[in-house]
Amino acid sequence: MSERLSEPLHGVRGAALLVRFLLELALLTGAAAVAWRLGPDGWRWVAMVLAPLAVAVFWGLFLAEKARVVLAEPIRFVLETALFLGVGAGLIAVGLTWPAVVGVALWAADRIILAVTKNG
């Protein structure tokens, strides 16, 4: 997130940031679900742990507020979009269409709200 944690969060923007956090958790859950469904029988548990771990590490390196690698905002947006659409496509591929559609739609709406309410 690009929001400073020390700033008070009120109203629509505060709610949108809370939704964003919940969507990030849903992204990890979706990655785990896809890995579970696609993983080989003996390796499902391993895949279910490693997939969200890989997403979390990627997010921490490139997309988090205090990311180790600082990227231009358009590149961060493209990477975030790829993650959400990729997990959404994976969910659709394993037969979890509604969670995918709802998750991606909520993410898109949340991104729009955050862009419209951005400070300065």
Side-chain angles (χ1 to χ4, degrees):
M1 284 194 260
S2 61
E3 187 71 30
R4 293 279 176 220
L5 296 177
S6 61
E7 297 175 9
L9 302 177
H10 301 290
V12 174
R13 184 156 184 88
L17 287 167
L18 173 62
V19 169
R20 178 176 171 87
F21 174 70
L22 296 174
L23 287 167
E24 291 169 11
L25 296 178
L27 179 71
L28 298 174
T29 304
V34 171
W36 176 262
R37 296 265 181 117
L38 294 179
D41 288 339
W43 291 92
R44 282 186 173 176
W45 285 100
V46 174
M48 187 181 72
V49 170
L50 291 181
L53 181 62
V55 171
V57 168
F58 183 85
W59 192 278
L61 285 174
F62 301 108
L63 301 173
E65 177 185 350
K66 296 180 181 178
R68 289 187 169 252
V69 179
V70 179
L71 300 172
E73 188 60 34
I75 295 171
R76 291 181 67 210
F77 176 75
V78 168
L79 293 176
E80 182 180 334
T81 301
L83 274 179
F84 275 93
L85 293 180
V87 169
L91 288 169
I92 290 170
V94 299
L96 298 171
T97 303
W98 282 110
V101 170
V102 169
V104 170
L106 286 173
W107 169 79
D110 193 60
R111 286 294 298 190
I112 290 167
I113 292 168
L114 288 172
V116 168
T117 61
K118 187 171 187 171
N119 297 338

